[in-house]
Amino acid sequence: MDDGCIRLLSASREDVDGVREAIEFEPGLNLIVGRPNTGKTSWLRLIDYTMGSTKDSPEDAIGDVLAQRYRSCTVSVRVAGVEYVLSRRWQEHGGRTRLYVNNRPTTPDEFSRFVLAEIDAPLIRYPKGNPYGGSWTTLSWRTLFRHMYRREDQWTELMPKQPEGEFHACLLEFCGLATAVFPPALAALVEKRRELEGLVSRRDNYVTTLASVTEELLGLNLPEGDLAAGALDQSLTALHAEMNALVVRRRQLLDGDGGTGTFAETEHRSWVDESNELVEVLAAMAGARDRLTELERMKHVLSGQVLTLRRALVSGRTLSPLKTTACPVCDMPVTPREGDTCYLCGGPHPTTPSIEEAAQRIEYELAQLQEELSENDELIEAINHSVRELQAHERVIRASSARGRAAEAASRTSARSDLDAALQQIDMSLGGLSAREQQLINVYNLLTQGESLAEQIASLEQRISVLENEIRDAQSEADFESASDKLSDGMNEYFMRLNAAAGDQLWPFENDSASIDLRKTNASALVEGRNYRSKLGGMLSLYFYIAYHYSLLRTSSMSGFNFPGLLILDFPPDRTAATLGLQLSGTEGFVLRPFLELMSSDPNLQVVATGHGYSGLQAHRVETRHVWV
């Protein structure tokens, strides 16, 4: 079974002249060997580019030389037991940004989701830095692939140019702990907490500012700027009492004017009765017009039905007497004759009503429709009459209202000057109180919005509590100690086998000296309990990096782990190795022999490595002979 494993089957490339080159891969250890500058690394760079590279251009991904020399690359892979053909065709129109899977174009992001789903690696989001202050990103296939393919220029650190948070997320994914540390609920929780902080700040600023402005504009004398619906209710009650007292005083002045009270009665009639009556008339007119529109639509429908029936009646009487005079098959003439059977086909006549019976039914339906049309026209005329009456009534009411306003103006003109002054003062006071009333109502509405913010905050807090419980349940199942032990055991197993293969203490430390300390928040690579950088020199660092990859490869067959069983090691050229302080010549065989022992017990594992010779290693070899100039 190779569920969850990825295996390279073959790779091919086509140059700009159409010449195709290909190499094959086998399970287990594969060695790409040859003299310097024979293109060993170029094969791996093309494979890397075809395996979902997200670089914007082939020049950035594989370099100018390869991008100009070749026009396409194809890689056959087996993913979780299913074979796929991946290809890049960067010199085709539109092919620079496309990846083809079985000749179907896709994007690198879609390919990443596809591969992760096939190897049963959960899609997770993890924070870059502080979970509550930084951004969150999705862990991609390409980020994980950096732990499976070490390029020739990446032998300076355990994971060059990979931030600590990204390195930690990759290890969690490989160890099957990612969903426990970064469950979907965690990203939602961070988002909800940010939203809560914004709402709380917005509510506090809102209430403080509203209370300050309200106190300055309305002068409610609230204690310490307190603003609540109760205080506004009290202010509104007092304001209404003051307004009612002024209205009563105004009526008393009007009723006492000249001992008649005529103006007050006229004013009451004008302001209440006539207004109500006009509203009723306008509503009745609107209803009548709606009904008139409906009747006109019905009239149009009935008229159409009458026209249809009349056409059917005329057509039936015109076409019924016509007889068939020629055979519809051979076009030979036939003689119409009466009888119990059809003179053309010989079959019995169907028992269908005569044309006159049908015409009688149609005429009956026509009569019914004509009667409905007449009733409809009568209703239309009646409603038109009602509308005209309502329009006349409307004019009467409006004329009466105009006369009332004229009488009011005349009364005001003839009133005593002191009464006018008193009424004017009351009206001004009422106007000011009315404006203040509207201000209080607006403040009340704004306060209601603040209460809505409080309700949203309460709802968010409840949702946050639920998410926190979900996260606690998920994280309680994570066993970081067991995962750390398995990774550490794998590294120390590599060092033990390395020393045995070399017959020397290439790794000079005691057993169990290397360890990976994987925790909920970070991961550390240690030698004798200290950071590996402070303990190791150039060559020992090389052994340490390879031991790390060996340990990940070893977990491929372990339950709960997600490493897909593929490792690609592109060792640096001799000159580069010398610059890095690595003495590689003659050591490649030693550093790879532990992988042979590991893969002998698991046929699903695959390692691809470059080098000069690897004499004595039993592996599938791909030789490159042509020296590039």
Side-chain angles (χ1 to χ4, degrees):
M1 294 294 292
D2 55 359
D3 292 345
C5 287
I6 298 176
R7 183 187 300 169
L8 297 175
L9 303 177
S10 66
S12 63
R13 59 194 182 189
E14 185 176 351
D15 65 19
V16 293
D17 297 324
V19 177
R20 181 174 293 275
E21 306 167 12
I23 59 175
E24 303 290 332
F25 297 101
E26 297 291 341
L29 181 60
N30 294 260
L31 302 176
I32 302 179
V33 297
R35 292 188 298 161
N37 298 324
T38 54
K40 300 183 293 296
T41 294
S42 66
W43 275 111
L44 298 184
R45 295 182 71 180
L46 287 169
I47 292 172
D48 173 47
Y49 181 47
T50 309
M51 295 282 283
S53 173
T54 58
K55 293 291 182 63
D56 293 334
S57 68
E59 289 80 8
D60 293 337
I62 59 179
D64 294 339
V65 174
L66 291 177
Q68 294 172 10
R69 182 184 182 93
Y70 296 97
R71 65 186 184 187
S72 67
C73 179
T74 300
V75 177
S76 295
V77 296
R78 180 176 288 120
V79 181
V82 180
E83 292 188 14
Y84 297 94
V85 177
L86 315 177
S87 59
R88 285 287 183 118
R89 309 164 189 172
W90 55 91
Q91 292 197 5
E92 289 185 2
H93 177 69
R96 292 173 65 86
T97 59
R98 291 181 181 174
L99 167 67
Y100 295 86
V101 180
N102 293 341
N103 287 322
R104 183 180 64 85
T106 185
T107 66
D109 288 341
E110 292 172 342
F111 180 75
S112 174
R113 291 191 291 271
F114 158 74
V115 173
L116 293 179
E118 290 298 306
I119 64 175
D120 291 329
L123 192 66
I124 66 165
R125 296 182 66 214
Y126 67 96
K128 287 188 173 182
N130 181 3
Y132 298 99
S135 61
W136 286 62
T137 187
T138 300
L139 186 63
S140 68
W141 153 250
R142 291 297 298 181
T143 303
L144 296 172
F145 192 59
R146 295 184 61 184
H147 295 252
M148 302 160 57
Y149 168 46
R150 185 178 286 272
R151 293 169 39 174
E152 65 172 0
D153 57 351
Q154 293 181 343
W155 292 91
T156 57
E157 295 181 57
L158 187 61
M159 274 294 114
K161 299 181 181 179
Q162 190 165 61
E164 182 178 340
E166 194 172 278
F167 174 74
H168 178 238
C170 290
L171 272 185
L172 292 174
E173 181 74 283
F174 289 139
C175 294
L177 301 174
T179 54
V181 178
F182 302 121
L186 180 57
L189 174 64
V190 171
E191 181 180 348
K192 295 300 180 185
R193 282 184 173 173
R194 288 176 180 170
E195 186 178 349
L196 177 63
E197 291 175 0
L199 281 176
V200 170
S201 177
R202 180 180 167 191
R203 180 200 60 186
D204 294 343
N205 293 335
Y206 178 86
V207 172
T208 302
T209 303
L210 180 61
S212 176
V213 172
T214 302
E215 185 64 30
E216 182 177 347
L217 293 178
L218 303 181
L220 300 180
N221 297 320
L222 300 175
E224 299 298 329
D226 184 25
L227 183 62
L232 292 174
D233 288 337
Q234 293 177 4
S235 298
L236 281 170
T237 300
L239 187 64
H240 290 158
E242 188 176 354
M243 293 173 70
N244 290 335
L246 288 174
V247 170
V248 171
R249 176 57 182 158
R250 190 176 190 280
R251 287 197 173 183
Q252 288 175 349
L253 290 173
L254 292 173
D255 290 342
D257 183 19
T260 61
T262 303
F263 174 75
E265 294 175 357
T266 301
E267 182 184 36
H268 184 69
R269 165 67 178 172
S270 175
W271 289 355
V272 181
D273 296 342
E274 289 182 352
S275 297
N276 292 339
E277 189 174 0
L278 181 60
V279 170
E280 293 175 358
V281 168
L282 293 176
M285 287 174 64
R289 289 193 177 97
D290 291 342
R291 177 60 176 157
L292 189 61
T293 300
E294 179 65 22
L295 290 174
E296 290 289 351
R297 188 190 64 79
M298 183 60 70
K299 180 178 179 180
H300 177 73
V301 173
L302 292 174
S303 298
Q305 293 178 352
V306 168
L307 181 60
T308 301
L309 288 177
R310 284 178 176 171
R311 288 176 177 171
L313 185 60
V314 172
S315 300
R317 286 175 171 168
T318 302
L319 299 177
S320 177
L322 298 179
K323 303 295 184 178
T324 300
T325 60
C327 176
V329 178
C330 64
D331 204 27
M332 295 292 291
V334 296
T335 303
R337 63 177 182 275
E338 301 296 334
D340 295 334
T341 61
C342 176
Y343 66 86
L344 186 61
C345 69
H349 284 297
T351 56
T352 57
S354 66
I355 186 61
E356 289 303 324
E357 293 175 345
Q360 288 177 3
R361 285 199 294 271
I362 292 176
E363 288 174 347
Y364 174 76
E365 295 293 336
L366 274 172
Q368 293 292 105
L369 290 174
Q370 291 285 6
E371 185 175 348
E372 290 185 30
L373 270 174
S374 298
E375 292 177 359
N376 196 74
D377 289 339
E378 292 175 2
L379 286 173
I380 289 175
E381 179 57 32
I383 291 176
N384 280 327
H385 180 71
S386 298
V387 169
R388 289 192 293 272
E389 289 183 345
L390 288 170
Q391 288 173 338
H393 194 184
E394 177 192 7
R395 289 193 291 272
V396 170
I397 293 174
R398 293 190 183 278
S400 175
S401 177
R403 287 194 298 271
R405 288 193 296 272
E408 178 185 352
S411 298
R412 287 188 179 276
T413 302
S414 61
R416 296 189 305 271
S417 58
D418 55 345
L419 178 60
D420 288 341
L423 291 175
Q424 184 178 11
Q425 184 62 39
I426 291 175
D427 289 342
M428 290 176 61
S429 299
L430 283 172
L433 292 175
S434 179
R436 183 177 176 81
E437 177 191 33
Q438 188 59 50
Q439 289 176 333
L440 286 173
I441 291 174
N442 291 340
V443 172
Y444 195 94
N445 292 335
L446 291 174
L447 183 61
T448 302
Q449 294 179 18
E451 293 173 351
S452 174
L453 287 175
E455 293 175 358
Q456 294 178 48
I457 289 172
S459 176
L460 268 178
E461 289 175 339
Q462 183 177 3
R463 176 58 180 158
I464 286 173
S465 178
V466 172
L467 291 173
E468 287 175 341
N469 290 334
E470 293 179 8
I471 292 169
R472 276 195 295 270
D473 292 342
Q475 293 181 343
S476 63
E477 301 175 358
D479 190 350
F480 298 101
E481 184 176 354
S482 175
S484 298
D485 289 344
K486 287 178 174 140
L487 292 174
S488 302
D489 291 345
M491 295 187 70
N492 289 301
E493 178 180 290
Y494 174 82
F495 294 134
M496 179 189 67
R497 289 182 171 180
L498 174 68
N499 288 339
D504 193 3
Q505 288 294 106
L506 296 182
W507 182 255
F509 301 97
E510 298 295 330
N511 294 337
D512 300 329
S513 57
S515 62
I516 298 293
D517 186 11
L518 180 60
R519 302 187 181 186
K520 175 182 174 182
T521 56
N522 56 35
S524 303
L526 308 174
V527 175
E528 293 187 335
R530 297 177 60 186
N531 188 294
Y532 79 94
R533 294 187 185 89
S534 64
K535 298 285 291 185
L536 304 180
M539 196 62 194
L540 292 180
S541 294
L542 171 70
Y543 298 150
F544 191 82
Y545 303 153
I546 298 176
Y548 169 76
H549 293 296
Y550 176 95
S551 180
L552 287 178
L553 191 67
R554 179 174 174 266
T555 64
S556 299
S557 59
M558 296 182 181
S559 176
F561 285 75
N562 295 320
F563 195 80
L566 173 65
L567 178 61
I568 303 174
L569 299 175
D570 189 10
F571 289 107
D574 289 343
R575 284 175 295 180
T576 304
T579 302
L580 298 176
L582 308 176
Q583 301 300 320
L584 288 179
S585 297
T587 66
E588 296 100 323
F590 295 136
V591 298
L592 292 181
R593 194 172 298 279
F595 288 95
L596 281 175
E597 300 177 27
L598 175 64
M599 290 183 287
S600 64
S601 60
D602 191 345
N604 293 319
L605 304 182
Q606 186 180 50
V607 175
V608 178
T610 61
H612 297 327
Y614 295 110
S615 59
L617 283 182
Q618 297 298 318
H620 174 70
R621 293 173 179 268
V622 176
E623 294 189 14
T624 57
R625 295 183 175 87
H626 179 70
V627 178
W628 288 33
V629 179

